[in-house]
Amino acid sequence: MVNKMGLIFTLVGVISLALATLGSPYPKAKQEDGVHTKCTQPGMFSLTFDDGPLPGRTEAVLDVLKEANVTATFFVCGQTYSDLHSVEGQATVRRIIAEGHQIGIHTWSHPYLADPWRSVEEVTNEVKSVADKLLEITGNRIPIMRPPYGAYNDSVLDIVRGELGLEVIMWNVNTLDWSHPGDTAAAIENYKIETSGSHPSVDSFIALHHDPLPGSSELAVEAIRFMISAGYRFVTVGECIGL
């Protein structure tokens, strides 16, 4: 059942993201937005994963991270591929924390928050419901959030940053793994393009992956190799932005 549901949500996610971004690229976060797209210090690299947990695939990614002895950040949903009410979903979250990684908020049901008709109450509930559940599971308040599809507007920022006091995290390396799940070579090519000409003495990066997708653990292996060979130091998002 989990595999079937995972497949369904993979297809829904791919279709939704394609529709959301058709003819309109991800918003370019400006420094004055107070939205984080890179780390505060050069030489840092933050590996991030969205949309999970999905027991099985998230576990495989965690195995890779453990073997490589690097930390990452997982922006989790309340109910997409898995359910934070479930024993399996909560166990995966606890393992993420226990192994030194960081948890972030990615809303309850993965909606496009920047829709102009979406109410303040709906945006607030989508974020706060995950925050409250993660507090229950981990015993800690979660300080970081990433909007689904990277979509935000002034209203979303007012709610997430102003009312809820969360840091909004974007990225400056997009693997586009959602558009070619399982194609590790294509994702690594995006790494090469988006880090071209960079150097750890002056640059830093936050990379976007999706742990529930097919091939997510294989991509993690190659991404780790690539960024280590480029001379970058792996950090959680909290370390990256100086929390």
Side-chain angles (χ1 to χ4, degrees), residues 10-44:
T10 297
L11 293 173
V12 170
V14 168
I15 293 169
S16 298
L17 186 52
L19 290 174
T21 59
L22 184 61
S24 176
Y26 286 110
K28 298 296 184 182
K30 303 182 292 296
Q31 190 64 36
E32 58 265 29
D33 284 342
V35 174
H36 302 277
T37 59
K38 61 181 181 179
C39 303
T40 58
Q41 300 295 324
M44 290 182 170

Side-chain angles (χ1 to χ4, degrees), residues 4-188:
K4 289 181 180 178
M5 291 301 294
L7 176 60
I8 290 170
F9 280 113
T10 297
L11 293 173
V12 170
V14 168
I15 293 169
S16 298
L17 186 52
L19 290 174
T21 59
L22 184 61
S24 176
Y26 286 110
K28 298 296 184 182
K30 303 182 292 296
Q31 190 64 36
E32 58 265 29
D33 284 342
V35 174
H36 302 277
T37 59
K38 61 181 181 179
C39 303
T40 58
Q41 300 295 324
M44 290 182 170
F45 172 71
S46 189
L47 180 62
T48 71
F49 297 89
D50 285 11
D51 293 1
L54 176 57
R57 287 194 180 139
T58 303
E59 303 292 339
V61 169
L62 288 169
D63 290 343
V64 166
L65 300 175
K66 187 174 184 178
E67 177 68 22
N69 194 31
V70 300
T71 54
T73 301
F74 293 79
F75 289 91
V76 303
C77 291
Q79 191 173 34
T80 53
Y81 291 92
S82 184
D83 189 332
L84 289 186
H85 291 303
S86 71
V87 172
E88 295 82 5
Q90 293 184 21
T92 303
V93 167
R94 291 191 180 98
R95 180 181 170 187
I96 289 170
I97 297 297
E99 295 186 358
H101 309 294
Q102 188 173 16
I103 291 282
I105 296 164
H106 199 45
T107 71
W108 191 264
S109 63
H110 206 274
Y112 193 84
L113 295 179
D115 280 327
W117 48 262
R118 202 171 296 281
S119 69
V120 170
E121 291 76 15
E122 185 177 0
V123 173
T124 302
N125 185 60
E126 279 285 343
V127 178
K128 193 173 183 300
S129 57
V130 181
D132 291 346
K133 191 62 182 179
L134 289 173
L135 173 61
E136 177 186 323
I137 296 169
T138 68
N140 295 302
R141 290 213 169 268
I142 305 301
I144 59 174
M145 181 267 180
R146 174 176 285 159
Y149 313 110
Y152 64 88
N153 52 27
D154 289 342
S155 177
V156 172
L157 292 182
D158 287 345
I159 295 166
V160 175
R161 297 182 67 244
E163 294 183 23
L164 301 178
L166 303 172
E167 299 290 339
V168 178
I169 312 299
M170 293 287 281
W171 58 82
N172 55 359
V173 171
N174 189 350
T175 64
L176 293 176
D177 54 355
W178 64 269
S179 66
H180 40 68
D183 190 344
T184 299
I188 293 300

Side-chain angles (χ1 to χ4, degrees), residues 183-238:
D183 190 344
T184 299
I188 293 300
E189 186 61 28
N190 286 325
Y191 263 94
K192 293 176 181 178
I193 291 169
E194 298 194 10
T195 64
S196 176
S198 68
H199 193 277
S201 64
V202 293
D203 298 298
S204 65
F205 295 98
I206 301 173
L208 172 64
H209 292 230
H210 296 83
D211 50 305
L213 291 179
S216 56
S217 58
E218 291 83 356
L219 175 56
V221 170
E222 295 305 320
I224 290 167
R225 288 174 179 167
F226 181 78
M227 293 306 290
I228 287 178
S229 69
Y232 287 87
R233 178 169 65 91
F234 283 69
V235 296
T236 62
V237 162

